[in-house]
Amino acid sequence: MPSLDAARRRLRLSDDHVSVLGVLVEEERLPDELSQAREELREAGLLDADDKIVGDLYPLVSTLMEPRVIARVEVTGPQGVTSSGAVMGDEFIFVHEAWPGETESEYVPAEPETLVWSLARMVDLHRDLTDEADTGEVIESTMGLFDQVIERMENGENQEAEAVAEATGASLRLAEVLAELNCMWRMTVAWQGEGPIRTDSGLAVSALAVWDCGIEGYWVRELPAEPVTDGQVDAASVLRVRRASAKELWQRVTDLLPDGTQLASSAS
């Protein structure tokens, strides 16, 4: 169920709840499949009898309706895929975090100075206690071999890296690193304005893909390069990952966000 913590301006909402709020703001007809979500918002006191949105929701709804910057964080781990992120408007910033197996996310207001910290927390970016002298190591393979290694490890067919490498034809080093895989995460930031990459819709985009491999450290996926579009990658696509330090990744996350000059062009 959706809920509001008025004292801390926190909200718990699912994607369907957010869709209902958007439809009501635009004064459009609500699709039948969103009727249940509307009833839940009513029961939680977030909509009144006339389906007007309560004032406590104004900061979040206004930000979602007219975002300046959108950050999406996708984490793939043992419990599946979770999607979190942040939305920046002209007046407010909200971060939202999902919980594995739950349909609702927690939306919390944030300040510009804490945005990078919030994004880093979503992927559990922490001090790398491994030897940073090993950073810069590069592993090259193909996406097909990567998929085979992951499949065997997930199915428990082989537990030892040597056996996995021999069975798949992948390099031993790739199998060793993936044997310690905690999760993979991708962080994508999009905005209206200037940027290194543009989508077909005209949005500027920056993105980063990382493997968190425990005692084997962090690995940045350089190829296939993010952002990856549907149909762009197949089994023959080159895979290249490079070991990186937590300090470098903190800076990379910071660099994903547009600076004031880039956003200024959006406003114009």
Side-chain angles (χ1 to χ4, degrees):
M1 287 290 292
S3 58
L4 166 67
D5 176 1
R8 297 178 61 189
R9 296 183 295 157
R10 297 186 301 170
L11 290 140
R12 283 180 58 87
L13 299 169
S14 69
D15 289 344
D16 282 351
H17 297 140
V18 172
S19 296
V20 169
L21 297 175
V23 170
L24 293 178
V25 169
E26 295 292 337
E27 299 182 344
E28 298 176 349
R29 181 182 178 277
L30 190 76
D32 292 340
E33 59 268 23
L34 293 178
S35 297
Q36 179 62 37
R38 178 176 60 183
E39 289 303 316
E40 292 173 350
L41 289 168
R42 287 172 173 171
E43 292 177 18
L46 300 179
L47 296 178
D48 65 16
D50 297 322
D51 282 346
K52 290 185 178 180
I53 301 171
V54 299
D56 286 329
L57 264 66
Y58 166 76
L60 174 61
V61 172
S62 63
T63 303
L64 293 174
M65 295 303 293
E66 294 186 3
R68 296 284 304 279
V69 180
I70 298 175
R72 182 180 180 188
V73 179
E74 184 181 272
V75 179
T76 303
Q79 295 174 282
V81 180
T82 58
S83 294
S84 303
V87 184
M88 179 187 297
D90 287 324
E91 297 182 71
F92 308 102
I93 299 175
F94 278 85
V95 297
H96 56 95
E97 292 192 54
W99 190 270
E102 299 288 336
T103 60
E104 293 164 356
S105 297
E106 183 180 69
Y107 288 80
V108 182
E111 298 298 325
E113 297 81 6
T114 66
L115 183 54
V116 172
W117 181 87
S118 295
L119 293 172
R121 185 192 57 188
M122 292 176 193
V123 296
D124 189 30
L125 182 58
H126 53 272
R127 285 188 303 160
D128 187 357
L129 301 180
T130 60
D131 188 357
E132 290 197 8
D134 293 334
T135 59
E137 179 186 359
V138 174
I139 298 174
E140 291 194 357
S141 186
T142 66
M143 291 303 297
L145 290 174
F146 165 80
D147 288 339
Q148 290 183 50
V149 172
I150 290 294
E151 182 178 1
R152 282 185 172 271
M153 290 182 172
E154 288 180 343
N155 294 338
E157 295 181 37
N158 296 114
Q159 297 298 325
E160 298 297 329
E162 292 84 355
V164 173
E166 182 177 354
T168 61
S171 70
L172 175 58
R173 190 68 183 119
L174 178 64
E176 288 174 340
V177 169
L178 290 177
E180 303 298 332
L181 182 67
N182 291 328
C183 69
M184 295 178 287
W185 54 266
R186 297 192 302 172
M187 195 174 293
T188 307
V189 180
W191 65 93
Q192 292 283 356
E194 300 298 325
I197 301 174
R198 283 188 173 275
T199 65
D200 293 339
S201 62
L203 290 174
V205 177
S206 59
L208 174 66
V210 174
W211 298 352
D212 178 348
C213 295
I215 62 173
E216 288 286 358
Y218 289 111
W219 296 76
V220 176
R221 197 190 73 215
E222 297 181 332
L223 291 176
E226 290 289 336
V228 174
T229 57
D230 290 341
Q232 181 180 343
V233 176
D234 58 24
S237 298
V238 175
L239 169 68
R240 184 174 73 217
V241 292
R242 177 179 56 81
R243 188 166 180 178
S245 66
K247 180 179 179 180
E248 177 190 341
L249 291 182
W250 181 274
Q251 186 60 53
R252 293 284 297 269
V253 170
T254 302
D255 292 342
L256 290 180
L257 298 170
D259 60 28
T261 302
Q262 292 170 312
L263 282 180
S265 62
S266 171
S268 63

